[in-house]
Amino acid sequence: MPVGPARANIDPVSPRPPVPDGERVIGDEDWYGRDLSGQSWTRYSFVDTDLTEAVGEGAVFDECTFSGVRFNASRHTGAAFTNCTFHRCTFFDTVFTDCKFVGSLFRRSAFTLLEVHGGDWSFVGLPGADLRRAVFDGVRMREADLTAARLEKASVTSCDLSAAMLHGSKLAGTDLRGSDLSALDPLTVELSGAVIEPDQAAVICAALGLRVL
């Protein structure tokens, strides 16, 4: 049985994520509007850092920890945030385009007007995340943990949600057109008013044990 990438945080109930490397801490820094293009960080811990309106193309963050970091109004293209942990971070009007978040974990973070276009978010942990009205378009989210996530009136279109964990997620009014819903158990999620296509309806009917003739 294939095993997904190890997530950065192995103790999801601790009050504060572990510091990957005590000598690689960036704390209380003002990086407002900074251009992060082409830069790379491995096993760094960013604490209470302001990345508001930061931009970047091709930046790489690997096994990093972000605690209390503000990503508000920042724009990231082709960046990689692999096996990272995000704790108490804010993502207001943040846009990620063709970014890679494989194996990363989000805890107690705030997402308002978040937009994700393309990229690979497989094995990402977003349990209980409030993603209302967020936009995920054309994103690979295989085996993503969306347990009890709030996605009311969000747009989750043309996404690969195969083997995703969706138990208890709230999808009322969510636009799911074009997404892979093979992992969705309609008896364990809220689907009232969700927007789907005929072939997706057939998948949901099959999950309910119904036959469409």
Side-chain angles (χ1 to χ4, degrees):
M1 179 177 178
V3 178
R7 292 204 176 106
N9 195 315
I10 60 173
D11 181 14
V13 298
S14 62
R16 190 178 182 89
V19 176
D21 186 333
E23 297 182 354
R24 299 186 179 188
V25 178
I26 297 175
D28 298 305
E29 292 284 339
D30 183 0
W31 286 15
Y32 186 97
R34 178 169 294 196
D35 188 348
L36 306 173
S37 297
Q39 299 182 42
S40 179
W41 294 266
T42 299
R43 296 184 63 80
Y44 270 80
S45 182
F46 296 85
V47 181
D48 297 327
T49 300
D50 187 4
L51 285 171
T52 299
E53 294 194 17
V55 297
E57 183 170 353
V60 175
F61 299 86
D62 185 46
E63 295 187 57
C64 292
T65 296
F66 299 86
S67 182
V69 175
R70 296 179 293 282
F71 288 88
N72 303 332
S74 60
R75 302 290 184 266
H76 308 270
T77 303
F81 295 82
T82 49
N83 292 307
C84 293
T85 298
F86 299 84
H87 177 70
R88 293 188 300 99
C89 295
T90 57
F91 299 87
F92 174 78
D93 190 29
T94 308
V95 179
F96 295 104
T97 303
D98 296 326
C99 292
K100 185 177 181 180
F101 277 80
V102 174
S104 289
L105 174 64
F106 295 82
R107 301 186 309 155
R108 301 180 186 177
S109 295
F111 308 90
T112 306
L113 302 179
L114 172 71
E115 291 189 22
V116 181
H117 302 279
D120 193 346
W121 288 52
S122 298
F123 306 102
V124 162
L126 284 161
D130 187 343
L131 296 164
R132 286 175 290 180
R133 299 184 183 277
V135 173
F136 289 88
D137 181 53
V139 185
R140 190 170 192 241
M141 303 181 76
R142 298 192 64 179
E143 297 191 47
D145 185 357
L146 292 165
T147 304
R150 299 199 63 176
L151 287 154
E152 296 101 319
K153 297 187 178 180
S155 178
V156 186
T157 53
S158 301
C159 291
D160 181 359
L161 292 169
S162 54
M165 289 169 272
L166 296 164
H167 185 89
S169 60
K170 296 177 174 59
L171 301 169
T174 307
D175 188 349
L176 296 166
R177 289 176 293 179
S179 291
D180 184 336
L181 301 182
S182 58
L184 186 148
D185 181 349
L187 296 178
T188 66
V189 300
E190 293 183 19
L191 278 171
S192 177
V195 181
I196 59 175
E197 297 173 333
D199 58 335
Q200 295 171 306
V203 171
I204 292 174
C205 286
L208 289 169
L210 303 176
R211 296 175 60 194
V212 180
L213 302 177

